[in-house]
DNA sequence: GATGACATAAACAAAC
DNA sequence: AGTTTGTTTATGTCAT
């Protein structure tokens, strides 16, 4: 069974769509349970799903019913002055209980809670389809509602214009106008609530906007309104004298929730307003109930929107305003395989970052502890920047720090797996991918340093002047193989070093000499005359010859190397390249640049491969440190992506990550004055 | 202790 | 002339 890589501990609301998609596709376990192979009663699960899906549907339905009721009230109000208690549609009385609860407290049903609901259950595709169809039907209905409202609005405008010309207006007329305005407010409120709801749904991957379907915010859906509240509103509206609204005023003091909004930025709300409703400008008013919106739903604080750019991973589409962003979001990032994969990627990015943060914290703690307590240790102090220190630093957190310390060689069988709060997608078996690792104390104690550590500490090495525990040859090879042409000039190699490792930003004379020395010394580096001059390439065969015992000695490691290539890091792109040469299917580009994304690319591929049925058959020959995802990573990898976009290149998200400044390629980098600061 | 891998330093030369 | 690039040698450390 597909092993759920999601950890409830790291699962954030914004990433629940990943979970949902995961569940959707794999019918995997609830995130709250991390059993490797959960066994559920399918029947029970389906029942649970059905009930919850039904609840969601009812929730939406009820919201619409309330909206209808409101409309009805207004119609009645126009005919008969007075109030009528809104009645609930009792079509489904038995099932209204949970919905009523939800409706009684609209604020309670937050997107997070919706996500919770969705997390706790597994909606089958059929159920989801039904739900979406329902929602679409509701949208249609709501559109009709909108039409009606539009007419009402025009009527109102006419009336107000008449007011301006005629001066005093009859009280009844004023009342109607007030009510209509109230209705406007209510409708706006509904729109926002609906948008909020739909957005949350969409974020969870629940909602797909069909191609021909208008964007979400254009289809308001009454939600979260309760009869009593509407009644109270109605009372307030009808009892009030005249609102200060006039035709040209966009600042209505009408407050449907007794909270006055004096926002000076009506554009914020107008951005998300229904264009139909705002055609005559009447709806440019700010939404009174904006406060009820959760903070994250605020247009300007949308996680996927900022600085006029869609922040969907790999997108960066320019959206002039929030509305266009929403359109873009719904059209370009709908619920499909790609979005799902990207969502999962993002989730793992977050997960990885959290893991990295935890590890760095732990590392810091270990460093401090070490330096404070054992500063007199003979071996710890001598060479702060030598290999010992780098090894220690690279390992202290992910592995048992004491074991990684030179002076505490106590446990040869120490776990070499990075501590994983959630399932780590980085494998220690990728350690050989970067090539020989400088052997120092760590090997002595049988605690190999993995490039996974390096990868996870990529940022660390880029920012901290800690020497990477790899040989020059390995790093040179890495630099060369990361390049698209698999060849670099000496200067480009220099740049790669300085870019990737803060350590190499100083003592340039030393390590540059070493680089040159290595290039000349090792046969694996071949100098090729080029038009521009000379470039260096890697003879992979020669490189592997250099240390045959390292890899050939352990077949399982080789196998793991191949199977774990997906989790490759920037430092093991070399292996990827070599594997590419050997026609081993690989999303090489996707794995480059960002370790996390490399891992995630594998997750995507895994998903594309339909790896949920994949078993842990490889576990027997996996290293002890393999994470669950690694364990289930398929050896067989389809070469042809399902998505045409993926076929022509890596996922956009991955591509974007590759374009991260930190991982810019040498080719892009060589134009920059890199060496100036290090000389 | 021999050997290999590696780092570091340095001398030297050719090319730029 | 100075710098960069490339080669080679020497030396030391460390692990096997």
């Amino acid at each position: 069974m597909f092993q759920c890589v999601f950890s409830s501990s790291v699962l954030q609301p914004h990433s629940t769509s990943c979970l949902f998609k995961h569940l959707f596709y794999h019918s995997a376990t609830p995130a709250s349970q991390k059993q490797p192979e959960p066994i559920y009663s399918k029947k029970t699960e389906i029942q649970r799903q059905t009930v919850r899906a039904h609840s969601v549907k009812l929730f939406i339905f009820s919201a619409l019913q309330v909206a209808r009721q409101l409309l009805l009230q207004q119609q009645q109000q126009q005919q008969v002055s007075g109030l009528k208690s809104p009645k609930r549609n009792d079509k489904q009385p038995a099932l209204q209980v949970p919905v009523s609860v939800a409706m009684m407290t609209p604020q309670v049903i937050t997107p997070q809670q919706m996500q919770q609901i969705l997390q706790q259950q597994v909606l089958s595709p059929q159920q989801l389809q039904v739900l979406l169809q329902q929602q679409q039907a509701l949208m249609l209905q709501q559109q009709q509602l909108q039409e009606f409202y539009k007419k009402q609005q025009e009527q109102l405008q006419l009336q107000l214009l008449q007011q301006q010309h005629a001066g005093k207006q009859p009280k009844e007329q004023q009342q109607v106008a007030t009510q209509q305005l109230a209705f406007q407010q209510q409708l706006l409120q509904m729109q926002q609530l609906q948008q909020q709801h739909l957005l949350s749904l969409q974020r969870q991957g629940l909602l797909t906007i069909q191609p021909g379907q208008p964007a979400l915010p254009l289809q308001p859906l009454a939600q979260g309104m309760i009869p009593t509240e509407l009644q109270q509103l109605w009372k307030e509206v009808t009892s009030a004298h005249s609102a200060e609204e006039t035709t040209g005023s966009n600042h209505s003091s009408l407050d449907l929730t007794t909270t006055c909004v004096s926002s000076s930025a009506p554009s914020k709300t107008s951005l998300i307003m229904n264009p139909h409703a705002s055609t005559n400008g009447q709806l440019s008013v700010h939404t009174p109930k904006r406060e009820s919106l959760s903070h994250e739903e605020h247009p300007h604080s949308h996680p996927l929107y900022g600085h006029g750019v869609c922040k969907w991973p790999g997108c960066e589409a320019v959206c002039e305003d929030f509305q266009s962003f929403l359109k873009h979001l719904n059209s370009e990032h709908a619920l499909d395989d790609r979005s799902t994969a990207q969502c999962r990627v993002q989730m793992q990015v977050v997960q990885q970052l959290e893991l990295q943060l935890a590890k760095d914290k732990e590392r810091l703690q270990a460093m401090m502890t070490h330096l404070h307590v054992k500063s007199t240790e003979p071996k710890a102090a001598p060479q702060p920047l030598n290999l010992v220190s780098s090894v220690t630093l690279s390992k202290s957190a992910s592995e048992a720090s004491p074991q990684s310390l030179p002076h505490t060689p106590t446990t040869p069988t120490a776990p070499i797996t990075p501590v994983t709060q959630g399932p780590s997608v980085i494998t220690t078996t990728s350690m050989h991918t970067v090539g020989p690792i400088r052997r120092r104390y760590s090997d002595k104690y049988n605690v190999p340093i993995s490039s996974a550590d390096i990868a996870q500490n990529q940022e660390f090495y880029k920012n901290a002047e800690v020497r990477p525990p790899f040989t020059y040859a390995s790093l040179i090879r890495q630099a060369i193989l990361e390049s698209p042409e698999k060849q670099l000039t000496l200067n480009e190699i220099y740049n790669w070093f300085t870019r990737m490792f803060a350590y190499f930003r100083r003592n340039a004379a030393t390590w540059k000499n070493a680089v040159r020395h290595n290039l000349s010394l090792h046969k694996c580096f071949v100098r090729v005359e080029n038009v521009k001059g000379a470039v260096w390439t890697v003879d992979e065969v020669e490189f592997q010859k250099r240390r045959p015992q390292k890899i050939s000695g352990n077949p399982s490691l080789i196998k793991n190397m191949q199977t774990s290539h997906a989790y490759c890091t920037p430092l093991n792109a070399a292996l990827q390249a070599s594997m590419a040469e050997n026609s081993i299917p690989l999303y090489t580009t996707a794995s480059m640049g960002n370790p996390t994304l490399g891992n995630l690319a594998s997750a995507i591929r895994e998903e594309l491969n339909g790896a949920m049925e994949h078993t842990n058959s490889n576990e027997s020959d996996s290293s002890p440190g393999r994470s669950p995802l690694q364990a289930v990573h398929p050896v067989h990898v389809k070469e042809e992506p399902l998505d045409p976009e993926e076929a022509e290149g890596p996922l956009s998200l991955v591509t974007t990550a590759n374009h991260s400044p930190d991982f810019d390629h040498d080719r892009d980098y060589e134009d920059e004055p890199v060496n100036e600061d290090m000389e």
Side-chain angles (χ1 to χ4, degrees):
Chain A
M1 182 170 189
F2 184 82
Q3 201 158 7
C4 181
V5 299
F6 300 127
S7 167
S8 61
S9 62
V10 296
L11 195 66
Q12 299 301 317
H14 66 274
S15 61
T16 43
S17 56
C18 308
L19 172 68
F20 179 80
K21 286 293 296 181
H22 175 77
L23 298 175
F24 181 88
Y25 277 95
H26 305 297
S27 296
T29 79
S32 57
Q33 303 187 18
K34 290 190 268 185
Q35 299 162 352
E37 293 190 11
I39 301 171
Y40 291 104
S41 162
K42 275 192 175 179
K43 191 178 175 183
T44 308
E45 189 58 36
I46 289 173
Q47 285 173 347
R48 209 181 311 161
Q49 296 166 14
T50 308
V51 167
R52 291 190 171 146
H54 207 71
S55 297
V56 174
K57 285 185 283 185
L58 282 173
F59 179 79
I60 298 167
F61 265 128
S62 300
L64 183 73
Q65 287 166 7
V66 173
R68 279 173 165 173
Q69 190 66 37
L70 182 66
L71 190 61
L72 206 64
Q73 282 179 2
Q74 197 205 10
Q75 288 174 329
Q76 293 170 350
Q77 185 70 22
Q78 285 180 327
Q79 296 169 357
V80 183
S81 182
L83 280 176
K84 279 189 179 179
S85 295
K87 286 183 180 178
R88 297 192 62 91
N89 191 329
D90 293 330
K91 234 179 178 179
Q92 296 163 320
L95 289 168
Q96 262 185 347
V97 177
V99 178
S100 300
V101 173
M103 300 296 288
M104 288 295 285
T105 54
Q107 299 84 355
V108 175
I109 300 298
T110 62
Q112 287 77 17
Q113 283 182 321
M114 186 75 87
Q115 289 166 350
Q116 279 184 354
I117 293 172
L118 295 168
Q119 284 177 19
Q120 294 163 7
Q121 49 130 25
V122 181
L123 287 176
S124 70
Q126 292 78 16
Q127 289 168 340
L128 181 72
Q129 190 62 33
V130 169
L131 178 62
L132 293 179
Q133 286 172 356
Q134 301 272 15
Q135 183 129 359
Q136 288 170 14
L138 289 176
M139 287 173 176
L140 283 173
Q141 288 178 310
Q142 191 66 24
Q143 233 171 1
Q144 294 172 357
L145 195 73
Q146 273 295 325
E147 291 299 323
F148 175 81
Y149 165 75
K150 201 173 166 183
K151 290 175 184 174
Q152 292 286 323
Q153 200 176 31
E154 289 167 358
Q155 215 174 4
L156 173 67
Q157 196 171 17
L158 280 173
Q159 289 174 355
L160 292 176
L161 283 170
Q162 287 171 2
Q163 283 178 36
Q164 283 187 334
H165 293 298
K168 243 184 178 180
Q169 69 173 129
K171 195 176 180 180
E172 288 180 4
Q173 198 177 4
Q174 197 175 14
Q175 264 191 345
V176 170
T178 307
Q179 290 155 9
Q180 286 181 335
L181 278 174
F183 181 68
Q184 289 175 12
Q185 302 288 341
Q186 199 66 48
L187 200 57
L188 282 176
Q189 185 179 346
M190 289 183 211
Q191 291 170 15
Q192 286 203 339
L193 286 170
Q194 180 215 15
Q195 180 203 5
Q196 180 181 358
H197 168 66
L198 294 181
L199 267 178
S200 71
L201 280 179
Q202 196 203 14
R203 278 188 207 170
Q204 300 161 63
L206 256 177
L207 192 59
T208 308
I209 301 306
Q210 302 301 327
Q213 199 174 354
L216 277 179
L218 305 183
Q219 297 169 1
L221 170 67
Q223 170 193 338
M225 295 306 297
I226 55 174
T228 52
E229 186 179 350
L230 294 177
Q231 191 174 357
Q232 178 63 28
L233 163 71
W234 205 253
K235 280 180 182 173
E236 290 176 11
V237 168
T238 51
S239 62
H241 285 295
S242 66
E244 61 184 64
E245 71 276 5
T246 54
T247 336
S249 173
N250 285 342
H251 295 274
S252 167
S253 66
L254 266 181
D255 192 341
L256 305 180
T257 59
T258 69
T259 33
C260 181
V261 180
S262 58
S263 170
S264 60
S267 59
K268 285 186 178 180
T269 48
S270 63
L271 285 174
I272 60 171
M273 281 180 186
N274 187 341
H276 298 292
S278 60
T279 44
N280 53 13
Q282 282 295 311
L283 289 187
S284 298
V285 295
H286 41 266
T287 306
K289 218 174 181 178
R290 193 171 48 196
E291 293 88 346
S292 66
L293 299 176
S294 64
H295 177 69
E296 71 169 38
E297 295 300 326
H298 194 281
H300 284 204
S301 63
H302 196 291
L304 291 175
Y305 183 66
H307 300 95
V309 172
C310 174
K311 289 184 174 179
W312 185 279
C315 180
E316 293 182 358
V318 178
C319 303
E320 291 183 358
D321 55 14
F322 189 72
Q323 192 172 2
S324 61
F325 158 72
L326 290 175
K327 287 179 182 175
H328 161 80
L329 191 66
N330 295 325
S331 61
E332 299 297 324
H333 308 300
L335 178 61
D336 55 14
D337 289 344
R338 184 161 159 266
S339 297
T340 304
Q342 289 175 333
C343 207
R344 294 186 65 187
V345 165
Q346 185 63 22
M347 181 172 185
Q348 293 196 15
V349 166
V350 172
Q351 193 173 332
Q352 200 58 45
L353 288 173
E354 289 172 343
L355 179 65
Q356 178 67 31
L357 177 63
K359 290 178 67 176
D360 279 334
K361 281 182 179 175
E362 201 177 343
R363 177 181 296 118
L364 175 63
Q365 189 60 42
M367 291 167 67
M368 294 172 69
T369 304
H370 170 69
L371 295 176
H372 179 69
V373 176
K374 301 179 178 177
S375 57
T376 56
E377 283 286 339
K379 272 195 170 181
Q383 294 175 312
L385 286 181
N386 75 351
L387 306 168
V388 181
S389 59
S390 63
V391 165
T392 303
L393 285 167
S394 72
K395 292 172 47 53
S396 57
S398 61
E399 299 163 15
S401 353
Q403 294 155 3
S404 64
L405 297 178
H407 50 271
T408 54
T410 50
T411 53
T413 57
I416 62 176
T417 313
V419 175
T420 55
Q421 298 162 339
S424 170
V425 288
I426 292 178
T427 174
T428 54
T429 57
S430 61
M431 57 176 291
H432 297 287
T433 60
V434 77
I437 293 167
R438 297 193 70 181
R439 293 164 303 166
R440 284 301 185 264
Y441 304 101
S442 59
D443 278 10
K444 187 175 175 179
Y445 304 128
N446 196 21
V447 186
I449 309 155
S450 71
S451 64
D453 276 336
I454 305 301
Q456 289 182 328
N457 298 326
Q458 190 68 54
E459 288 300 321
F460 174 78
Y461 285 118
K462 281 158 87 174
N463 300 317
E465 290 186 6
V466 174
R467 182 181 187 124
F470 295 101
T471 65
Y472 282 114
S474 300
L475 293 175
I476 293 167
R477 172 175 169 267
Q478 174 67 26
I480 292 172
L481 292 183
E482 272 193 16
S483 66
E485 309 287 336
K486 300 293 181 293
Q487 59 182 29
L488 287 180
T489 66
L490 180 65
N491 191 47
E492 288 170 341
I493 295 173
Y494 289 162
N495 292 342
W496 186 88
F497 270 69
T498 54
R499 178 161 45 88
M500 301 299 282
F501 303 97
Y503 174 82
F504 292 123
R505 286 171 202 147
R506 58 169 54 185
N507 304 322
T510 298
W511 65 262
K512 283 184 175 179
N513 185 31
V515 168
R516 293 194 304 271
H517 166 74
N518 275 265
L519 283 171
S520 295
L521 186 67
H522 300 304
K523 283 189 284 185
C524 60
F525 299 122
V526 182
R527 186 172 177 271
V528 177
E529 289 290 339
N530 203 352
V531 181
K532 293 192 294 184
V535 292
W536 289 94
T537 61
V538 177
D539 185 341
E540 200 60 36
V541 177
E542 280 294 327
F543 187 86
Q544 300 301 335
K545 270 188 195 171
R546 287 164 60 244
R547 300 181 66 83
Q549 73 281 2
K550 278 284 182 180
I551 293 176
S552 61
N554 189 345
S556 67
L557 284 180
I558 298 174
K559 182 176 181 179
N560 283 334
M561 217 171 62
Q562 296 171 353
T563 57
S564 63
H565 64 261
Y567 315 107
C568 287
T569 70
L571 293 178
N572 56 32
L575 172 74
Q576 301 171 38
S578 66
M579 292 186 356
E581 290 174 6
N582 294 326
S583 301
I584 298 175
L586 171 66
Y587 287 77
T588 306
T589 321
S591 307
M592 287 168 53
N594 188 317
T596 307
L597 297 173
N599 307 329
L600 301 174
S602 75
I604 295 167
R605 183 172 60 254
E606 187 178 87
E607 176 166 323
L608 295 178
N609 285 339
M612 59 278 201
E613 77 278 2
H614 183 74
T615 61
N616 296 340
S617 57
N618 292 333
E619 214 158 27
S620 57
D621 46 32
S622 60
S623 74
R626 292 191 69 171
S627 71
L629 184 55
Q630 295 152 16
V632 300
H633 180 70
V635 180
H636 55 282
V637 178
K638 277 186 186 174
E639 285 190 271
E640 62 279 2
L642 299 177
D643 192 333
E645 287 189 33
E646 294 167 5
E648 62 176 294
L651 289 170
S652 57
L653 180 142
V654 177
T655 309
T656 301
N658 260 344
H659 294 164
S660 157
D662 290 338
F663 291 94
D664 269 349
H665 197 270
D666 280 321
R667 170 167 289 184
D668 303 324
Y669 196 78
E670 64 182 335
D671 295 330
E672 302 175 20
V674 176
N675 288 331
E676 276 71 2
D677 59 344
M678 64 182 188
E679 290 294 343

